[in-house]
Amino acid sequence: MPLPPPHCVNPDNDQDDLLAAVLGLEEELKAAVANLHTRLQSLRSSGSLAQTTSQPCSSTAKDDGKLLLQHDQLIVEVFSGDKAKIVPDTPTSSSLPSEPDVLIAHRAQTNQGGKPESNLRPIKAASAESAGDELRLTAKWMELSMHRNQFSGLTAAEIKRSTEKLKAHLGGSGGRRVSVRQAIQVKAPHSALNPHSTERLVWDVMGLFLMVVDCFLLPISLAWEAQMGTQDAGAVCLLVAFWFAFLYWMCDVGMNFHTGFYDRGRLVSSHVAIAKHYLRTWLIFDISLVLLDIAVVSLESVAGDLSDFRVIRFVRFMRILRLLRVLKVTRIGSLIEESAAQAGRRWIIMFSAVLQTGMVMMIAAHFLTCTWIWVGRNTTDSWLDRAGASNISGWTQYLHAMRWVMNSPAPAPINPDSSGERLTDVFLNLCFIFIMGSAISKISETLAELRAMNEERQRRRRGIRLYLTTQHVGFELISRIMRFVDYKLERPSLAGMDHSLMSPTLTMELYVNQRQGVLLEHPIFALTHDAFPEMFSSLCSAFKKHVFEKHESAFLAGTRSVAMHMTFAETLAISGDELVACLRDSPICSVMFCEYAKDFVNSSKRLPVGGTHEQKIEVSKKCCMNTMHYRALHPNPKTQLTNVRILPVVDECHEEGHATDFQRNTSEETLNEYKQNQDHLEVSETKSSHTHTFTDNLSDCSSGMSLANFTLELLAEGAELDCKKLPSLLQSHLLELHKSFGTHVLFDQRLERDRGESACISVIALVTNRYDLFTQPQDPKVKLLPEQWENLQQIVAWSEVTAEHLEAVLVLLAIRGLGKNATILQQVPASSQRPEKAVLHLMDLAGNVVPSVVHLGVSARRFVEDALGLHELFNFAQMLQGENVPANIAQLQEFVSKKGKQVLQFYILFLLGFMSGLAGGEGSRFMNAKNAQSTISGIQKLLHVLDSTPNAIYWGYLSDRAQQLKLPWETADDLVLVRMACLARVQDEQSYLALWAAWDALDTSEKNSLRDHFLADGIHSKAFLLEFLPDCVGNSKANAVIGITTLFLVLVDLLHNLHIASRTVPELGQAKIIRVDLSEMAQFISAVHNRFVFQTCISRCRLIPDIAANRIRFEMTGSNWSRINDPDSDMTILSYSLHQLMQRQHVMEESLRRGVLDKSVPP
C-alpha cells in the first residue's frame, strides 16, 4: 500500500502518536530495503542479472531533493551500446518521416480508456494575498508583477487615453524631449495655480503692500482733503498709488479666476468649479470695489469741473470704502503665522506675533490720528484752535493728534459747547484702550505658550535624568543619552500632531508637502508624481518615521537594501512590501513600477561589481525613461511614426563609394530643403558628428531598386563577394540596418539591428555557398561541421532561391525585429500588438519607417506578408524544444496548402536566416556545430509538410533528436523522455540520466497522467500547450529545493485540474488544443525556497480562461507568493523523510523488476 504524499500529513494529529507511527513505519521500510538488497545480491550471484564491469554500488545520490538508488549500471543500461560522446548523426533530408508504432499503440490504448485514478489536489478558491545572493525581485514584487500581466495590453490605446489628460495638464513641451524632473517642472500656460504656490504668494504679498499703502494714504488724504493730481508731490504720490492699486485689483479679478481652491482639503483645479466658487465668495465684492474706483475717478473729474463741495465730499467718503479690502488680509496673516510656525524657532514665533500686533496697533493709531485731525479741521473753535495748532505744518498737527490719541490731556482743551469733539474724544479713548488691551493679551498669550513649551520640555528632560540616575547608569552613557534627548526635543518636526483634527485628505496633503521635495529626486517617483498624482500622495504618506542618534547609521553601504530611506528634517523609510501594498490600489501604476523594477534589476546585473552610485542613478534614469508611461507622456518626436525619415548620410556613403541612386540624383538644394523641414524635430541632445539629411518623398528613393540589383548580382554566376564590404553594402541597401541612423538605431534597439544584419549576412552566405563567411564569427572549437554545411546547402537548394526570394527575405530579416519595439507597439492599434502584426502595420501604413519595403514587387511583398502570418501561426522555436504539439504542424500544413509550396520554400529560407542571426555577428555566431543540428533536423522535417502527416513530422524530429543524443526510442516512456529532454535542453548523457531518474521516481498513475499529456497531439486527442514549460523545467533544475521530480508531481495536479476546467467551460471543452500560460509558475519556481509550498501550490492557484483565444492563464495568487520564504516545519521534514524512503523502495523494486524481465527475454 503506497504511502500518502507528504502534503497529506494531518498536522492536527497528536504529535507523539504521529512521531511513533512515523518511526515504526521507517523501521518497516528499512527492513524492506534490506530485503531488496539481499534479493538483488542473490540474483546477481546466481547470474540472473547481467553482470557489468562498473564500479560497486554507489551511495544514494541526491537529485531534486530526493534520494535515488543507483545500483551499478541499472540506470545506465537503458542506453544501447557503449557510452560515447554525443556526435551529430544527421538523417538524410530525403527520408520521409513516419509516425512511431509505439505512439499509434499508445493512442489506441488511450482511446479504450481504463486509466487508473490518482490522488490529486484540486484547485481551491484562493484568498487575496532568499536563498543565494542573486539580485531578483522579492516575493511581493513578483506577485504584483504577475498581477499586472492582465493590464499589459494597455501599451497602446489605454495608456494613451490614461495619459492624454496628464499631457494636457503638463502642457505642450514644444516637441522637446525633457527629463523626468524637467517634465514635472513644466507648467501648462492655462492650468490653474495652486493657492499656496510661490507665484500666488508673491501676488498676494504685492496686494498686501498696496493695502498697507492705502491704509496710510487714504486717511491722510481725507484728513487734509488732499486730491490726486500733479500740483504737488503729495498729489502725485496719491495719483501713482491709486492707479497702481487700481490696475492691480483689476488684474486680481482675473487672477482669482485662475487660482484653484481647497474643498474639504482637496485641491480643485477645474476652471468651471473655480468660477462657480469665486462667484459665491469674493467676486461681487471685488467687482464692486473695482467699480467703486472707476466711480471715484469719474466723480472727481466731474467735481473738479463743477466745483461742487458736496460732490467732492461724497467722493472722498467713497474713497474710504476701498479700505474694505483689508478684510482679505486675514489669509495673508494666517500664512505668515504658518510660515513662522514651520520655522520651528521660538524667537521667530515671538517676533512674528509681536510684529503682527505692532502693525495692527500702528495702523489703528494712524486711523484714529487722522480721524481726530479731520474732526479738528472741520469743527469751529476746535481743539486745533485752542491748542494754537491751526496754522502749523501738517506733520506737527499729526504729532499733536497722535499724542492726543495715545494719552489725551486732562483737562482736555476742547470747547465746552463742542459735543462732537467730546463724543469723538471718548470714542478715541475707548478704541485705544481696546486695541492696546488686545495687543497686550496677544503678546501675553504668546509668552505663556512659549513658557508652557519650555516647561514641558524641562519636565520630560528631568524625568529621563531622574530615571537614569536611579538606575545607576554610567556618566558617559548618561551624557550621550541626554545629548540625544536634547537633540530630539529641539527637533520641531517631532512635536506630536492630533490627526483627528485633520481629514485624511489634508493629512495626505501635509505629507506630500513635507516629502515631495526629496522624493522627486528619484526618477520613478518623479514619474509617478507626473503620471499618477494621487498615487504619489499615497506613497508620500506610506513612509514611516524613524529617529536616530547623531552619527548613528541608518543603513550600511554595500549591504542588500530592505527599505528606502529618506532624510531631510526627519528620517523616513518605506520597505518593499509596504510600497507594493500601496501600489495595489492602482493597477496601471503598478504596471509602470513593475516594468521599471524588472528593467532596473536586469540592468543592475550588468553593472560591474561595486558599481558607483552615479552609475546606478544613470541606470535608474534610463530604466524610468524606458517605461511605456514615460514614453506616452514625453514622446520623442523623432520616433513618432509620422515623423520618421530614413535616408543615408550623403557624405558617409560617398566616402564608402556606394551611395544610392537617390543620393546621386538629388540636388543639394533639395537636400537642404528637407533638412530645414526637419529642424523642428531636433531635440536638445548630443548631436552626431555626421550631418544627417532626410527625405519624405520615398517615391523618389531608389534604394529598393538598388537592393533588387544587388540580389541579382549575388545570384549571378561567378559573382565575387567582398566579405569586408558586405556589412556596409547591406546598410546602404537596407536602410533599417544602418549603424548610425537606421530605423533600429532610431528606436534604440541595436541588438535587434545586429541580429538582423547577422541574419542577412548568413542568408547571403548560404545562397552563395560561402562557408567561410557563414562561420566567420564562430569559435573554432564549436565551428559548424562540413557535413552540417552540406545539409544546409541541401535545404537551400530545395528552397529554389530566386532573386525575388532573396530580396524579400533580406527585407523581412531587416524589419522583423521592429515588431518587438515598445515605442512602436504603443503607436499601433490594439489589434496589431503582436510583433508580426505590428510589422504588417508598418508595411501598410508607415512605409517611411520601413523604406526597404516600399520598392518590393507585388509578389515579393506577398511573400513577406505570408511569412509573417506563418511565423505568427507556427513557432518553430517551440517545435525545436518540444513545447508545441503536432496540431501546430497541422495548422502550418493547412496554411501552406492554401498558399502553395513557394510560400513554404520562402518560409524555410527565412527560418534559416532567422535562426542563424539569433546571436548576431558578421556571419552566424549561433549556428555552430552544437546548435545547428537540431535546427537542421527540424527544418528537414518541415520540408515534408505537404507529403506527410503532422504526427510523423513532429515525432520524426524528436526521433532525430533521440538519435543525435543516443537516447532510447522504443517505448512510450522513451518518447516522453525525449520530448522532456528537448524541454530541459538536454545536451549530454548526465543530464538525461537526471531526467530519467526524476521520471522513474514517479508512481504508475503519475506516469500515466504525464504520458497522456506529452503524447497528446491535439488532433486525435485534446492537448494542452504549456507555454513557458521550458522555463519551468530550467528553473526547477536551477533551484536545488525544487528539482524536476517535484515539478512533475505539480504538473500532474495541474493537468488534472486543467481537464476539469476544460470540461466545465463548454467552449474550451470543444477545443482540441488549449494554450496554458505558465509564466507565473516559471517565476514562482525561481523564487520559492520551500519544497512543500511548491508541492501544494496548485491548491492555492487560479485558472483564468480566455474563451476567445482558447487560452487559460495560470495565476499563482498572493497565497502562494506570500509563502515562498516559509521555513520547513517539523511536520514537513518528517514528510520528506517518509517520501524519500518510499521513493527508495519504489526505485529498487522497479530496478529489480526490469532486471528480471530483461533476463527472461530470450536473446
Side-chain angles (χ1 to χ4, degrees):
M1 180 177 180
L3 293 174
H7 49 270
C8 294
V9 175
N10 186 3
D12 297 330
N13 291 340
D14 184 78
Q15 295 286 337
D16 296 335
D17 295 341
L18 179 61
L19 183 59
V22 168
L23 294 176
L25 186 56
E26 184 176 3
E27 292 298 327
E28 294 179 7
L29 286 174
K30 288 181 178 179
V33 170
N35 185 31
L36 285 173
H37 273 284
T38 304
R39 293 182 59 192
L40 180 63
Q41 293 296 333
S42 63
L43 287 172
R44 185 186 299 276
S45 60
S46 62
S48 299
L49 285 177
Q51 299 295 322
T52 62
T53 58
S54 60
Q55 295 178 355
C57 175
S58 62
S59 61
T60 56
K62 186 174 182 180
D63 177 73
D64 306 326
K66 302 181 183 302
L67 297 177
L68 302 175
L69 289 178
Q70 296 179 334
H71 285 276
D72 298 333
Q73 291 292 320
L74 287 178
I75 292 180
V76 183
E77 285 175 4
V78 297
F79 291 94
S80 57
D82 297 332
K83 293 189 291 182
K85 294 183 180 179
I86 298 175
V87 293
D89 187 8
T90 309
T92 60
S93 59
S94 60
S95 59
L96 189 66
S98 60
E99 190 172 358
D101 295 336
V102 66
L103 181 65
I104 299 174
H106 173 78
R107 187 184 306 135
Q109 181 182 0
T110 303
N111 292 335
Q112 294 176 1
K115 293 182 294 183
E117 295 288 335
S118 60
N119 185 18
L120 299 171
R121 292 157 288 277
I123 292 181
K124 302 177 182 177
S127 59
E129 281 250 14
S130 159
D133 295 328
E134 182 184 358
L135 184 63
R136 61 157 65 98
L137 297 179
T138 62
K140 293 290 186 181
W141 279 100
M142 290 303 303
E143 178 190 355
L144 185 68
S145 175
M146 294 302 115
H147 282 190
R148 68 131 185 162
N149 287 340
Q150 56 186 312
F151 300 97
S152 59
L154 302 175
T155 54
E158 287 81 357
I159 291 297
K160 291 178 182 178
R161 286 197 296 268
S162 66
T163 56
E164 185 176 352
K165 294 182 179 180
L166 292 169
K167 288 193 289 185
H169 286 302
L170 287 173
S173 56
R176 297 184 301 109
R177 186 177 184 179
V178 294
S179 66
V180 176
R181 290 291 307 284
Q182 292 171 337
I184 293 173
Q185 295 171 357
V186 173
K187 297 292 183 183
H190 303 293
S191 60
L193 286 175
N194 189 306
H196 294 157
S197 63
T198 304
E199 297 88 344
R200 183 68 205 193
L201 178 61
V202 172
W203 182 261
D204 287 340
V205 170
M206 290 174 57
L208 176 63
F209 173 75
L210 292 175
M211 281 190 284
V212 172
V213 171
D214 275 348
C215 286
F216 277 95
L217 293 183
L218 282 178
I220 291 175
S221 66
L222 292 174
W224 278 277
E225 298 181 353
Q227 297 184 10
M228 297 182 297
T230 57
Q231 58 270 26
D232 55 38
V236 172
C237 182
L238 290 174
L239 181 65
V240 172
F242 173 82
W243 282 109
F244 264 110
F246 176 71
L247 293 175
Y248 173 86
W249 294 115
M250 280 189 64
C251 296
D252 185 64
V253 174
M255 196 72 168
N256 290 332
F257 276 110
H258 198 61
T259 303
F261 66 96
Y262 284 93
D263 181 19
R264 288 174 292 183
R266 179 176 174 270
L267 178 63
V268 178
S269 300
S270 170
H271 287 283
V272 176
I274 292 172
K276 292 180 180 179
H277 179 263
Y278 189 31
L279 179 62
R280 293 194 304 266
T281 53
W282 290 98
L283 178 62
I284 297 176
F285 179 81
D286 290 344
I287 292 292
S288 300
L289 292 182
V290 171
L291 293 177
L292 178 64
D293 287 340
I294 296 174
V296 167
V297 174
S298 302
L299 290 175
E300 282 196 353
S301 175
V302 173
D305 294 339
L306 298 178
S307 300
D308 190 338
F309 180 77
R310 289 175 299 176
V311 173
I312 293 174
R313 177 161 293 195
F314 175 72
V315 169
R316 290 172 181 170
F317 176 74
M318 289 180 62
R319 286 169 60 187
I320 200 66
L321 295 178
R322 295 174 60 193
L323 296 179
L324 292 175
R325 290 195 178 99
V326 176
L327 297 175
K328 300 184 69 174
V329 82
T330 55
R331 193 181 73 86
I332 307 298
S334 300
L335 184 62
I336 293 174
E337 289 182 4
E338 292 170 6
S339 301
Q342 185 179 12
R345 301 300 179 185
R346 294 178 176 84
W347 68 269
I348 294 179
I349 298 175
M350 180 68 181
F351 177 78
S352 172
V354 173
L355 179 63
Q356 290 187 67
T357 304
M359 288 292 296
V360 171
M361 291 176 59
M362 289 178 59
I363 293 175
H366 179 69
F367 266 89
L368 296 177
T369 299
C370 291
T371 301
W372 188 235
I373 291 176
W374 181 80
V375 170
R377 292 177 61 87
N378 291 277
T379 303
T380 304
D381 193 17
S382 65
W383 68 270
L384 284 174
D385 296 328
R386 289 181 175 271
S390 300
N391 298 320
I392 61 177
S393 65
W395 169 247
T396 307
Q397 289 179 349
Y398 184 84
L399 294 178
H400 275 278
M402 177 69 75
R403 170 69 179 78
W404 191 293
V405 167
M406 295 180 66
N407 187 12
S408 58
I414 300 176
N415 187 348
D417 296 333
S418 180
S419 58
E421 283 186 319
R422 290 289 180 186
L423 185 61
T424 304
D425 182 40
V426 173
F427 175 74
L428 293 179
N429 279 277
L430 291 175
C431 288
F432 189 77
I433 291 172
F434 175 76
I435 293 171
M436 286 299 298
S438 299
I440 294 173
S441 174
K442 179 70 174 178
I443 295 175
S444 298
E445 264 182 49
T446 304
L447 292 175
E449 184 177 351
L450 292 176
R451 192 179 303 110
M453 292 172 60
N454 286 328
E455 288 178 356
E456 174 66 16
R457 177 175 177 272
Q458 292 299 326
R459 183 189 65 79
R460 297 175 67 184
R461 196 176 188 279
R462 284 195 303 269
I464 295 176
R465 167 72 74 173
L466 180 62
Y467 173 80
L468 295 176
T469 303
T470 56
Q471 295 298 320
H472 306 288
V473 180
F475 175 77
E476 191 271 338
L477 182 56
I478 289 179
S479 300
R480 288 177 54 200
I481 293 175
M482 296 310 299
R483 283 197 300 269
F484 181 73
V485 169
D486 291 337
Y487 165 76
K488 184 175 179 180
L489 292 175
E490 286 292 332
R491 303 282 285 181
S493 61
L494 297 179
M497 183 176 66
D498 188 358
H499 289 282
S500 63
L501 300 178
M502 300 174 60
S503 68
T505 304
L506 284 177
T507 304
M508 190 174 295
E509 289 284 342
L510 174 64
Y511 289 141
V512 172
N513 180 266
Q514 291 175 329
R515 302 166 184 179
Q516 68 174 349
V518 179
L519 270 183
L520 291 180
E521 295 292 335
H522 197 291
I524 189 60
F525 288 104
L527 181 58
T528 306
H529 176 279
D530 192 351
F532 304 97
E534 293 185 359
M535 179 52 60
F536 179 79
S537 301
S538 300
L539 292 174
C540 287
S541 61
F543 278 80
K544 299 295 189 299
K545 183 167 59 178
H546 297 269
V547 180
F548 299 93
E549 185 183 1
K550 287 184 178 180
H551 309 298
E552 182 181 352
S553 299
F555 58 88
L556 297 179
T559 59
R560 185 64 55 85
S561 174
V562 296
M564 176 181 178
H565 296 269
M566 178 171 60
T567 303
F568 49 106
E570 54 191 7
T571 302
L572 305 171
I574 183 172
S575 66
D577 292 348
E578 292 168 342
L579 181 58
V580 169
C582 188
L583 291 173
R584 289 183 189 278
D585 297 332
S586 177
I588 300 181
C589 184
S590 68
V591 171
M592 180 185 75
F593 263 85
C594 290
E595 185 182 6
Y596 165 81
K598 285 190 172 183
D599 194 9
F600 182 78
V601 168
N602 294 332
S603 301
S604 298
K605 291 178 181 178
R606 295 191 290 268
L607 286 176
V609 179
T612 64
H613 181 64
E614 289 72 18
Q615 289 176 324
K616 295 177 182 178
I617 291 177
E618 290 302 318
V619 169
S620 177
K621 290 180 179 179
K622 185 176 180 180
C623 294
C624 187
M625 295 173 67
N626 286 338
T627 61
M628 55 187 177
H629 289 80
Y630 182 90
R631 290 192 298 267
L633 286 171
H634 313 292
N636 182 356
K638 279 190 173 182
T639 58
Q640 298 302 296
L641 298 183
T642 55
N643 296 338
V644 173
R645 300 292 183 268
I646 306 297
L647 182 70
V649 178
V650 177
D651 296 339
E652 182 179 335
C653 290
H654 278 299
E655 289 175 4
E656 295 178 356
H658 47 76
T660 62
D661 295 340
F662 175 78
Q663 294 168 324
R664 289 189 287 266
N665 297 331
T666 304
S667 64
E668 189 69 25
E669 293 79 5
T670 304
L671 291 174
N672 291 333
E673 179 183 354
Y674 288 132
K675 186 175 186 299
Q676 293 173 2
N677 291 337
Q678 297 299 322
D679 283 344
H680 69 283
L681 299 177
E682 296 295 331
V683 295
S684 55
E685 297 175 341
T686 304
K687 297 184 178 180
S688 173
S689 58
H690 297 289
T691 302
H692 289 197
T693 55
F694 303 83
T695 180
D696 55 3
N697 190 357
L698 290 173
S699 61
D700 293 336
C701 180
S702 57
S703 61
M705 295 299 296
S706 298
L707 180 60
N709 295 333
F710 176 63
T711 55
L712 285 172
E713 293 177 1
L714 287 175
L715 296 178
E717 294 185 6
E720 296 184 359
L721 184 61
D722 190 341
C723 299
K724 295 181 179 180
K725 292 184 178 180
L726 183 57
S728 300
L729 288 170
L730 282 174
Q731 293 174 34
S732 65
H733 295 303
L734 298 169
L735 307 183
E736 297 85 356
L737 297 179
H738 199 281
K739 62 183 179 181
S740 299
F741 60 88
T743 309
H744 289 286
V745 174
L746 179 63
F747 286 97
D748 195 23
Q749 49 178 30
R750 295 183 181 273
L751 179 59
E752 289 298 329
R753 190 212 75 85
D754 295 341
R755 287 175 176 172
E757 183 180 77
S758 173
C760 291
I761 294 175
S762 300
V763 165
I764 292 174
L766 286 168
V767 299
T768 57
N769 197 14
R770 289 293 301 271
Y771 175 76
D772 58 332
L773 175 60
F774 189 87
T775 59
Q776 183 176 347
Q778 295 180 7
D779 188 339
K781 296 180 180 179
V782 291
K783 191 173 183 180
L784 186 73
L785 301 176
E787 53 268 30
Q788 293 173 327
W789 177 255
E790 290 300 325
N791 291 329
L792 291 174
Q793 288 301 300
Q794 292 175 13
I795 296 173
V796 172
W798 180 90
S799 300
E800 299 177 0
V801 182
T802 65
E804 186 179 43
H805 286 172
L806 182 57
E807 178 190 5
V809 82
L810 290 177
V811 171
L812 176 57
L813 292 171
I815 67 176
R816 184 199 59 82
L818 294 173
K820 297 185 290 185
N821 184 266
T823 303
I824 292 177
L825 291 177
Q826 278 189 289
Q827 302 178 63
V828 300
S831 58
S832 300
Q833 291 293 304
R834 298 281 297 176
E836 293 78 12
K837 289 184 177 180
V839 175
L840 289 172
H841 177 85
L842 295 179
M843 293 174 59
D844 293 336
L845 301 176
N848 54 316
V849 181
V850 285
S852 299
V853 178
V854 175
H855 295 280
L856 285 178
V858 176
S859 61
R861 186 185 180 96
R862 188 179 300 113
F863 280 134
V864 174
E865 293 172 350
D866 290 341
L868 286 170
L870 193 54
H871 196 58
E872 181 184 13
L873 180 68
F874 176 74
N875 192 320
F876 179 68
Q878 286 184 349
M879 174 184 166
L880 293 184
Q881 54 190 8
E883 188 176 357
N884 58 14
V885 293
N888 299 110
I889 299 179
Q891 295 172 339
L892 171 66
Q893 194 176 55
E894 181 181 0
F895 187 94
V896 173
S897 299
K898 293 179 180 179
K899 297 293 184 178
K901 182 180 178 181
Q902 279 194 331
V903 172
L904 178 61
Q905 290 174 324
F906 180 83
Y907 179 66
I908 293 298
L909 184 63
F910 161 73
L911 283 183
L912 287 174
F914 169 69
M915 297 300 296
S916 299
L918 286 179
E922 294 185 359
S924 177
R925 185 178 289 115
F926 175 80
M927 198 77 80
N928 53 28
K930 183 179 179 181
N931 299 326
Q933 201 52 55
S934 59
T935 303
I936 293 172
S937 177
I939 293 178
Q940 284 177 339
K941 292 300 176 286
L942 291 183
L943 302 184
H944 299 283
V945 163
L946 295 176
D947 55 14
S948 186
T949 65
N951 272 296
I953 294 172
Y954 185 84
W955 292 104
Y957 161 71
L958 292 179
S959 175
D960 289 350
R961 288 290 292 160
Q963 184 178 348
Q964 295 160 20
L965 296 175
K966 304 295 184 182
L967 304 182
W969 186 258
E970 298 176 0
T971 66
D973 284 6
D974 292 338
L975 272 62
V976 172
L977 286 170
V978 170
R979 185 177 173 189
M980 289 182 180
C982 294
L983 287 168
R985 301 179 177 92
V986 168
Q987 295 290 337
D988 53 38
E989 180 180 306
Q990 191 63 32
S991 299
Y992 179 79
L993 288 178
L995 184 66
W996 186 92
W999 171 263
D1000 203 48
L1002 303 176
D1003 62 30
T1004 303
S1005 62
E1006 292 165 343
K1007 288 182 180 179
N1008 287 336
S1009 178
L1010 292 177
R1011 188 184 300 113
D1012 291 342
H1013 165 70
F1014 284 110
L1015 298 183
D1017 56 12
I1019 302 173
H1020 303 93
S1021 58
K1022 182 188 296 292
F1024 293 99
L1025 200 161
L1026 303 182
E1027 298 175 336
F1028 299 97
L1029 183 56
D1031 293 339
C1032 293
V1033 176
N1035 292 342
S1036 298
K1037 293 167 61 179
N1039 191 337
V1041 177
I1042 304 303
I1044 301 178
T1045 303
T1046 309
L1047 175 64
F1048 286 164
L1049 295 173
V1050 173
L1051 286 179
V1052 170
D1053 290 352
L1054 174 62
L1055 292 171
H1056 173 72
N1057 286 278
L1058 287 174
H1059 282 287
I1060 295 176
S1062 65
R1063 289 194 296 268
T1064 305
V1065 182
E1067 292 81 357
L1068 293 178
Q1070 298 172 2
K1072 282 292 187 180
I1073 179 171
I1074 301 175
R1075 296 179 178 270
V1076 182
D1077 184 356
L1078 297 184
S1079 58
E1080 290 198 25
M1081 178 181 282
Q1083 296 289 344
F1084 184 77
I1085 293 172
S1086 66
V1088 67
H1089 300 121
N1090 187 303
R1091 190 193 317 164
F1092 180 77
V1093 170
F1094 180 63
Q1095 284 178 321
T1096 58
C1097 69
I1098 297 297
S1099 62
R1100 296 182 295 275
C1101 292
R1102 279 197 294 263
L1103 298 179
I1104 304 175
D1106 182 357
I1107 298 175
N1110 283 337
R1111 179 185 294 270
I1112 295 177
R1113 186 168 66 87
F1114 181 81
E1115 183 180 298
M1116 293 304 297
T1117 75
S1119 299
N1120 277 320
W1121 288 107
S1122 61
R1123 299 182 60 184
I1124 64 172
N1125 291 316
D1126 284 0
D1128 280 327
S1129 65
D1130 293 338
M1131 300 304 300
T1132 58
I1133 294 174
L1134 287 173
S1135 299
Y1136 295 153
S1137 301
L1138 288 173
H1139 201 62
Q1140 288 172 358
L1141 289 171
M1142 180 188 69
Q1143 284 189 333
R1144 292 174 59 183
Q1145 180 182 5
H1146 173 71
V1147 169
M1148 293 184 65
E1149 288 177 348
E1150 287 295 316
S1151 301
L1152 182 61
R1153 182 183 60 82
R1154 281 195 301 271
V1156 173
L1157 290 177
D1158 292 342
K1159 184 65 177 177
S1160 63
V1161 176

